[in-house]
Amino acid sequence: MAAARVPLWAVCVLRVALATVYFQEDFLDGERWRNRWVQSTNDSQFGYFRLSSGKFYGHKEKDKGLQTTQNSRFYAISARFKPFSNKGKTLIIQYTVKHEQKMDCGGGYIKLFPADVDQKNLNGKSQYYIMFGPDICGFDVKKVHVILHFKNQYHSNKKSIRCKVDGFTHLYTLILRPDLTYEVKIDGQSIESGSIEYDWQLTSLKKMEKASAESKDWDQATEGKSQDWEKHFLDARASKPSDWNSELDGDWQAPMLQKPPYQDGLKPEGIDKDVWLHQKMKNTNYLTEYDLSEFENIGAIGLELWQVRSGTIFDNFLITDDEEYAENFGKATWGETKGPEREMDAIQAKEEVKKAREEDEDEQMMGRFGGRENIFKGFHKRNEL
């Protein structure tokens, strides 16, 4: 008997049930967004946001998002959610950004903050975990920032990831996986991926802990061989003689080598393990509970940036642990309106060209009539004479 086929809708429902959605915002309830987002009052000169779908859009209501409204201003606004840790889980951050004003200099990135961030005083000095998204300024800066907070410092991805520079809405996705790999997508297409350790030039704490444990195991294995490890070491290059008889001669042990005390930059010969590694590790504060892309107390998302020309629209924010859910959410939002948005822009462009042509023709016509009027005036003046 053939197994019953599971309906596609049931699979989708199950997938949604398995996904953890930490935060989702698409501004479909009108002005109620003001109850969820907090404008910083740290600086009275901060620019203000409004809810808008812009001058052209794919859907007037679905495309409404937070739009910057004042030129040459800093902006700072955030929304809080239930705190969580992404330890051992995939973390996906996704949103759409539309530089309708054709950005010349300004940020379009978002930041992920710890739960204890002071929203009312949010500013450029507020500590964040992750900064992700496009930044444009002149001809030189057209990049996607991916900055991670690690060991009380901010670390940028060493690769140059180019952002979109046109005036349309684009979908930006950052994926951080527990195996220390990452992926950056724009409009659902992967544009960069790799190792967090290599591309940020960082060292995993997990590997440091493993190395420390191996050194400890090695020390335990050689414990009792010598009471003074600064003077004596096992000869790691020595091998058991071919004529050694374990029954008659007992268990074979490598001979001891006498070496000088450890000095920075000096590694004794014959030692295939760094016997000082575990001692150095014990004297640092690096052994914490969390690793490169793991954050203990994620609790807020925000926009903290500068713009010369305002008009950018931020929408469709999502924080989840499920890559498939993020992909489907992107298709259901940006994917549904991207085509109609470009169509509306094309129609407006044609109308503007038509209007400009008509105005030009009117000016030329007025010029011709104005010239004839001057001729008639001159003729009448000559007759009067």
Side-chain angles (χ1 to χ4, degrees):
M1 181 177 177
R5 300 184 68 177
V6 180
L8 180 60
W9 66 266
V11 174
C12 294
V13 170
L14 177 61
R15 191 67 197 177
V16 171
L18 293 175
T20 301
V21 178
Y22 304 108
F23 181 79
Q24 184 171 306
E25 175 67 88
D26 47 15
F27 303 101
L28 294 180
D29 58 352
E31 291 302 311
R32 292 183 181 178
W33 70 271
R34 298 183 185 277
N35 298 326
R36 299 185 296 273
W37 291 80
V38 177
Q39 172 83 36
S40 175
T41 56
N42 178 267
D43 190 330
S44 61
Q45 296 300 311
F46 277 164
Y48 286 95
F49 291 90
R50 68 181 175 189
L51 197 65
S52 175
S53 52
K55 297 176 181 178
F56 59 93
Y57 42 79
H59 190 285
K60 187 173 182 179
E61 297 302 321
K62 291 182 179 179
D63 283 350
K64 284 185 176 180
L66 294 182
Q67 184 180 43
T68 56
T69 62
Q70 297 166 281
N71 295 336
S72 301
R73 294 294 182 94
F74 284 99
Y75 291 86
I77 195 170
S78 62
R80 197 181 296 278
F81 45 83
K82 184 179 179 180
F84 72 94
S85 167
N86 71 311
K87 184 177 183 181
K89 301 177 182 178
T90 298
L91 177 63
I92 300 106
I93 306 169
Q94 182 173 280
Y95 71 109
T96 58
V97 57
K98 174 187 180 184
H99 291 314
E100 186 177 81
Q101 75 280 36
K102 301 288 182 67
M103 176 67 74
D104 52 356
C105 188
Y109 43 80
I110 61 174
K111 291 182 178 181
L112 216 59
F113 298 95
D116 59 357
V117 64
D118 186 349
Q119 290 180 277
K120 282 289 186 181
N121 288 309
L122 186 69
N123 61 80
K125 295 182 179 180
S126 298
Q127 179 186 326
Y128 61 86
Y129 287 143
I130 300 172
M131 175 174 154
F132 168 63
D135 191 14
I136 300 171
C137 196
F139 295 100
D140 298 331
V141 180
K142 296 176 181 178
K143 65 181 296 183
V144 178
H145 286 293
V146 189
I147 300 176
L148 303 179
H149 184 266
F150 180 62
K151 294 194 298 190
N152 296 319
Q153 292 183 346
Y154 296 113
H155 303 269
S156 298
N157 188 306
K158 68 180 184 180
K159 292 182 178 178
S160 179
I161 308 175
R162 186 176 174 83
C163 66
K164 297 292 184 178
V165 296
D166 56 47
F168 297 108
T169 300
H170 293 286
L171 179 71
Y172 285 83
T173 307
L174 172 64
I175 304 171
L176 300 176
R177 302 186 181 96
D179 63 356
L180 298 184
T181 62
Y182 76 98
E183 188 171 3
V184 175
K185 295 182 177 181
I186 298 181
D187 297 344
Q189 301 298 316
S190 179
I191 61 168
E192 194 56 79
S193 61
S195 164
I196 294 176
E197 291 180 290
Y198 179 77
D199 289 350
W200 274 265
Q201 296 180 328
L202 300 174
T203 302
S204 170
L205 299 178
K206 293 177 181 177
K207 288 190 175 182
M208 294 174 69
E209 290 171 348
K210 182 179 180 181
S212 177
E214 289 177 349
S215 287
K216 186 175 182 180
D217 293 341
W218 188 66
D219 288 345
Q220 291 176 348
T222 57
E223 188 175 359
K225 305 301 181 183
S226 174
Q227 298 298 318
D228 190 351
W229 283 95
E230 285 195 348
K231 295 181 179 179
H232 298 87
F233 298 91
L234 290 174
D235 187 351
R237 293 177 297 185
S239 59
K240 184 171 66 175
S242 59
D243 60 349
W244 188 274
N245 190 320
S246 299
E247 293 182 358
L248 298 177
D249 302 325
D251 292 336
W252 181 82
Q253 295 181 353
M256 304 297 291
L257 297 175
Q258 186 170 350
K259 294 291 177 180
Y262 167 73
Q263 298 177 13
D264 287 338
L266 175 64
K267 184 174 181 179
E269 295 180 8
I271 306 301
D272 60 352
K273 294 282 187 178
D274 186 351
V275 298
W276 302 283
L277 176 60
H278 70 288
Q279 296 175 349
K280 292 165 67 180
M281 295 284 288
K282 289 177 182 178
N283 294 329
T284 66
N285 296 320
Y286 293 169
L287 295 181
T288 60
E289 185 179 357
Y290 296 91
D291 206 5
L292 299 182
S293 60
E294 295 175 342
F295 305 99
E296 179 179 3
N297 195 34
I298 304 171
I301 189 171
L303 304 169
E304 189 285 309
L305 43 84
W306 160 266
Q307 290 194 343
V308 174
R309 282 197 293 172
S310 63
T312 301
I313 298 175
F314 300 87
D315 194 9
N316 303 313
F317 295 91
L318 176 68
I319 305 174
T320 182
D321 65 350
D322 192 289
E323 294 184 40
E324 186 173 343
Y325 182 89
E327 183 178 350
N328 291 334
F329 182 71
K331 290 178 180 178
T333 52
W334 171 82
E336 292 292 326
T337 60
K338 63 174 181 176
E341 177 188 74
R342 290 177 179 264
E343 291 174 5
M344 184 174 182
D345 176 65
I347 292 173
Q348 288 183 354
K350 289 181 181 179
E351 291 177 348
E352 290 176 1
V353 171
K354 181 181 178 182
K355 184 179 179 181
R357 184 179 296 131
E358 290 174 349
E359 290 177 351
D360 185 55
E361 290 175 353
D362 289 343
E363 289 179 1
Q364 291 180 10
M365 188 66 70
M366 290 297 294
R368 285 197 291 268
F369 279 119
R372 289 179 182 178
E373 184 177 328
N374 291 332
I375 292 173
F376 288 132
K377 286 182 179 179
F379 177 76
H380 288 302
K381 286 181 179 180
R382 287 196 298 272
N383 287 341
E384 290 176 359
L385 294 173

